């Protein structure tokens, strides 16, 4: 399907925003707070257990009005409806984009090509629940009759980052009798380290791959099978008790030797980076049990409904997405820092990197025109307070503008003396310091000698969002992930790009396939790369003693 759309920069709201940016350039957040005692109330919104305070952004009510107009002029409402109704909005792959169906209630109706997909989604969830209950209860035993104690997910990208992040995030709710490991890298060390202290007789491998063709996953799965068979005396029938698969490709699963009865399916309308709540989440369900997994899906669904129905001015994903667009274009911000003040969310920034950068790292519009503006920023981050002792210096006093999303929880999952109040005080203090800064006058009043004053000045006026929830529950995790999924969608709509393909990963993969035999061949290969790549291949061959 080909569409021709008005260029983003031709929207009237875009032009007004460009003008407005010049007006707001010199306004300081300190001034904005001083002028309007109700600013904090004005710029907050709440949904699905998440409270968003976006008052520490360089915006006024005029900015917000113009950004909302930009959303309207970009037809965001119609595009949300198109996604939720199963239209093939992933135009370059001619697919629907329906991760929202993965968390729809059992009685919902969501059709793809006239077929309601919700019953299939729930059939897979039921199968996952039955399997998880059996493993957790010790009814699913290994080949030698031993209980399964270790679960190793083998996958990469969306088939790794989501379940890895969720297992870590929900560790508090997990069965501590089970050990979870994640193997993703084709670097053999990843497998070696994951398996080194595991007993094959008590180990279950989940081979997770949408396509079941991914080089890293297939190589690791093969290595895992060899390791298992070696450990269990070479009896091939052991594979059935120690390997299950998650995939859309039943034929390849079966060709690998995994019984399709032990396969959990999903569908081509679930993108890899949107799949942690599909069967790709079976490791998460094994860890936390079906009830907690269901609670996570409820949190996703609550945010989905909010995104679908709430007016844009109260719509958390829309607001978050528009703010990213605002800084990307009008303040030249190149990155967004995501800073969770919750140790259990330590993998959340890494998870978001795939979600956001694979989605909106695009250089052409939906109709194939080169964009004339920046698209997806770099997402990065680390949990607080660790980051404060490394890169926060640059955020506070460096020359770049780095919008920050702080994520905080009012209550600790495991209260421990003064720790949680200290953690909370730190996140609140960081947001305050970034916004207000510290003037030369204030520094001087503290008695600093003149020469030292400039070094101790904080400009402030550095924007941040605060996403606050009561505590980290499975529901909140679902809502948080859906918040970023839909914020990403909002940005993609404004930039008029396809947020649902990832062609940019193909070229490197194809070249690697060509280089593998060149490294492996016994005879010196005829190399036809650029001279740098040729030299590097020759050098690697020489070091390993090849011709
Ligand atoms: O290389 C990118 C990618 O296609 C991701 O989009 C995907 O999540 C990952 O590889 C893994 O793919 P698969 O689940 O098919 O193994």
């Amino acid at each position: 399907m080909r569409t021709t759309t008005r260029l983003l920069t031709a929207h009237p709201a875009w032009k007004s925003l460009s003008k407005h940016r010049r007006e707001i350039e010199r306004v300081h957040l300190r001034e904005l707070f001083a002028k309007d005692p109700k600013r904090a109330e004005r710029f907050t919104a709440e949904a699905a257990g998440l409270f968003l305070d976006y008052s520490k952004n360089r915006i006024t009510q005029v900015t917000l009005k113009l950004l909302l107009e930009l959303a309207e002029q970009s037809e965001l409402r119609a595009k949300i409806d198109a996604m939720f109704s199963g239209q093939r909005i992933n135009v370059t792959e001619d697919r629907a984009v329906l991760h929202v169906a993965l968390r729809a209630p059992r009685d919902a109706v969501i059709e793809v090509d006239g077929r309601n997909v919700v019953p299939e989604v729930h059939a897979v969830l039921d199968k996952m629940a039955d399997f998880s209950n059996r493993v957790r209860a010790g009814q699913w035993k290994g080949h030698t009759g031993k209980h399964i104690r270790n679960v190793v997910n083998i996958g990469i990208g969306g088939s790794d980052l989501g379940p890895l992040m969720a297992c870590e995030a929900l560790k508090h709710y997990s069965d501590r009798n089970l050990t979870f490991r994640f193997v993703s890298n084709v670097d053999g060390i990843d497998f070696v380290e994951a398996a080194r202290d595991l007993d094959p007789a008590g180990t279950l491998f989940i081979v997770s791959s949408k396509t079941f063709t991914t080089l890293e996953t297939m190589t690791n799965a093969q290595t895992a099978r060899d390791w298992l068979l070696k450990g269990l005396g070479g009896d091939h029938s052991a594979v059935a008790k120690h390997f299950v698969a998650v995939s859309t490709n039943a034929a390849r699963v079966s060709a690998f030797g995994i019984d399709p009865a032990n396969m959990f399916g999903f569908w081509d309308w679930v993108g890899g980076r949107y799949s942690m709540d599909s069967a790709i989440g079976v490791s998460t369900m094994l860890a936390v049990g079906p009830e907690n997994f269901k609670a996570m899906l409820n949190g996703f669904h609550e945010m989905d409904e909010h995104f679908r129905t709430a007016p844009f001015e109260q719509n958390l994903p829309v607001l978050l997405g528009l703010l990213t667009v605002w800084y990307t274009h009008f303040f030249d911000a190149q990155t967004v820092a995501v800073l969770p003040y919750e140790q259990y969310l330590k993998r959340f920034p890494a998870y978001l990197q795939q979600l956001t950068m694979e989605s909106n790292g695009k250089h052409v519009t939906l109709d194939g025109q080169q964009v004339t503006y920046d698209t997806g920023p770099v997402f990065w981050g680390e949990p607080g307070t660790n980051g404060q002792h490394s890169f926060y210096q640059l955020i506070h006093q460096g020359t770049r503008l780095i919008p920050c999303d702080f994520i905080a929880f009012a209550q600790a999952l495991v209260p421990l003396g003064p720790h949680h109040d200290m953690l909370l005080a730190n996140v609140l203090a960081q947001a305050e310091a970034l916004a207000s800064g510290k003037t030369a006058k204030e520094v001087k009043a503290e008695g600093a000698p003149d020469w030292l004053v400039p070094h101790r000045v904080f400009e402030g006026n550095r924007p941040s969002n605060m996403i606050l929830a009561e505590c980290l529950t499975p529901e909140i995790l679902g809502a948080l992930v859906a918040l970023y999924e839909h914020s990403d969608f909002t940005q993609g709509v404004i930039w008029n790009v396809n947020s649902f393909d990832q062609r940019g990963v193909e070229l490197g993969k194809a070249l690697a396939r060509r280089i593998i035999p060149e490294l492996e061949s016994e005879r010196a290969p005829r190399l036809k790369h650029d001279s740098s790549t040729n030299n590097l291949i020759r050098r690697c061959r020489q070091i390993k003693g090849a011709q």
Side-chain angles (χ1 to χ4, degrees):
M1 185 177 80
R2 282 174 171 259
T3 50
T4 308
T5 40
R6 180 158 62 175
L7 277 180
L8 166 61
T9 46
H11 289 310
W14 182 271
K15 293 180 182 158
S16 308
L17 279 163
S18 309
K19 199 162 148 255
H20 173 68
R21 187 257 184 267
R22 287 192 288 277
E23 287 156 19
I24 214 165
E25 203 167 28
R26 291 184 201 292
V27 182
H28 199 288
L29 276 166
R30 261 196 311 260
E31 254 173 87
L32 293 173
F33 274 100
K35 258 202 260 163
D36 178 5
K38 288 208 179 322
R39 183 173 172 86
E41 286 142 63
R42 220 180 285 290
F43 295 115
T44 51
E46 198 165 358
L50 299 181
F51 176 78
L52 170 67
D53 176 347
Y54 61 103
S55 62
K56 294 192 185 80
N57 280 291
R58 293 174 67 174
I59 57 168
T60 61
Q61 280 180 294
V62 176
T63 327
L64 187 58
K65 183 175 152 283
L66 291 174
L67 286 170
L68 293 168
E69 277 172 27
L70 181 65
E72 297 295 348
Q73 286 163 20
S74 306
E75 297 170 6
L76 178 59
R77 176 66 65 201
K79 299 205 170 161
I80 294 174
D81 292 344
M83 173 169 73
F84 276 79
S85 62
Q87 289 179 40
R88 293 173 181 267
I89 61 168
N90 178 356
V91 290
T92 56
E93 295 178 329
D94 193 23
R95 288 176 182 166
V97 174
L98 268 182
H99 41 280
V100 293
L102 298 170
R103 49 263 192 160
R106 213 175 268 276
D107 58 356
V109 176
I110 300 176
E111 292 186 344
V112 177
D113 300 331
R115 211 183 69 247
N116 181 13
V117 298
V118 179
E120 294 170 42
V121 167
H122 280 271
V124 173
L125 284 171
D126 291 344
K127 184 174 169 181
M128 287 162 65
D130 176 60
F131 170 70
S132 302
N133 285 335
R134 282 194 289 148
V135 173
R136 286 163 65 88
Q139 290 159 1
W140 175 296
K141 294 192 172 57
H143 182 61
T144 63
K146 265 200 167 176
H147 282 189
I148 297 297
R149 291 279 178 237
N150 319 304
V151 177
V152 182
N153 185 77
I154 298 178
I156 197 162
S159 301
D160 167 71
L161 289 162
L164 168 57
M165 179 278 287
C167 280
E168 190 60 40
L170 300 180
K171 203 180 238 173
H172 178 71
Y173 303 88
S174 70
D175 180 346
R176 302 301 178 115
N177 291 317
L178 291 170
T179 299
F180 289 84
R181 304 260 163 94
F182 291 82
V183 174
S184 52
N185 199 333
V186 79
D187 183 339
I189 290 303
D190 207 10
F191 181 84
V192 169
E193 285 298 328
R196 64 184 294 277
D197 56 348
L198 299 186
D199 170 11
T203 300
L204 175 76
F205 290 98
I206 304 172
V207 185
S208 298
S209 174
K210 181 175 171 182
T211 54
F212 232 71
T213 58
T214 305
L215 174 88
E216 291 90 337
T217 302
M218 291 301 102
T219 308
N220 280 321
Q222 192 64 50
T223 300
R225 189 166 58 182
D226 295 347
W227 175 87
L228 181 96
L229 292 177
K230 192 168 165 227
L232 295 182
D235 182 351
H236 282 254
S237 65
V239 171
K241 288 284 168 212
H242 293 269
F243 275 81
V244 297
V246 182
S247 187
T248 56
N249 193 337
R252 283 197 175 258
V253 168
S254 165
F256 180 83
I258 297 178
D259 184 348
N262 294 340
M263 169 181 147
F264 302 91
F266 61 116
W267 306 270
D268 73 354
W269 39 261
V270 183
R273 54 193 174 274
Y274 300 92
S275 66
M276 60 167 275
D277 45 341
S278 72
I280 289 290
V282 73
S283 50
T284 313
M285 195 189 270
L286 280 164
V288 302
E291 282 311 307
N292 282 318
F293 194 84
K294 213 189 306 157
M296 182 182 80
L297 296 183
N298 291 342
F300 268 103
H301 180 65
E302 213 183 316
M303 185 56 77
D304 292 343
E305 283 304 284
H306 167 75
F307 180 53
R308 192 175 68 80
T309 60
F312 287 168
E313 60 273 22
Q314 290 157 23
N315 196 310
L316 269 67
V318 171
L319 292 167
L320 214 56
L322 289 174
L323 286 165
T324 300
V325 169
W326 171 238
Y327 292 120
T328 301
H329 296 292
F330 299 105
F331 289 82
D332 260 345
Q334 300 292 316
T335 80
V336 175
V338 180
L339 307 162
Y341 278 65
E342 168 58 71
Q343 188 64 17
Y344 282 128
L345 286 182
K346 68 175 184 219
R347 297 295 297 175
F348 192 64
Y351 167 76
L352 276 191
Q353 287 188 323
Q354 188 200 14
L355 179 67
T356 58
M357 286 150 73
E358 219 172 50
S359 296
N360 287 332
K362 306 289 160 67
H363 73 300
V364 293
T365 61
L366 278 167
D367 42 340
Q369 297 178 60
Q370 178 80 33
V371 293
T372 54
Y373 41 82
D374 275 336
T375 59
V378 174
F379 275 73
W380 60 287
E382 279 288 320
T385 57
N386 300 15
Q388 290 175 207
H389 296 271
S390 65
F391 54 81
Y392 275 43
Q393 164 65 37
L394 186 147
I395 304 181
H396 282 286
Q397 283 192 319
T399 54
R400 293 162 203 282
L401 182 104
I402 302 183
C404 299
D405 286 354
F406 291 106
I407 302 172
F409 297 89
Q411 276 175 20
L413 279 173
V414 187
L416 187 64
H419 285 258
H420 198 68
D421 281 343
M422 288 184 185
L423 181 70
L424 262 181
N426 270 282
V427 67
L428 298 175
Q430 289 300 325
E432 186 179 12
L434 285 170
S436 311
K438 194 170 183 183
T439 61
K441 201 170 150 203
E442 287 165 339
V443 176
K444 271 188 205 154
E446 287 175 353
D450 282 355
W451 68 269
L452 198 54
V453 170
H455 297 275
R456 289 185 44 186
V457 164
F458 288 69
E459 261 174 17
N461 215 12
R462 298 182 182 219
S464 68
N465 291 307
M466 182 69 68
I467 300 166
L468 182 69
E470 206 174 300
C471 76
L472 179 56
T473 60
E475 287 91 340
I476 288 295
L477 180 69
L480 195 58
V481 173
L483 169 67
Y484 278 96
E485 285 178 350
H486 299 320
S487 162
D488 242 32
F489 178 85
T490 301
Q491 293 159 48
V493 167
I494 306 284
W495 292 322
N496 195 24
V497 297
N498 181 7
S499 303
F500 302 105
D501 65 5
Q502 57 283 322
R503 309 278 176 174
V505 300
E506 294 307 327
L507 180 59
K509 279 189 199 172
L511 284 173
R513 260 182 247 120
R514 188 172 138 199
I515 294 174
I516 292 167
E518 293 171 344
L519 286 171
E520 283 181 337
S521 79
E522 281 182 18
R523 294 244 225 95
R526 283 189 52 206
L527 299 173
K528 292 188 185 154
H529 306 271
D530 58 82
S531 61
S532 158
T533 311
N534 286 345
N535 273 349
L536 290 165
I537 293 172
R538 285 195 197 102
R539 200 174 176 87
C540 289
R541 285 181 58 85
Q542 245 172 31
I543 291 170
K544 64 176 193 165
Q547 275 185 25

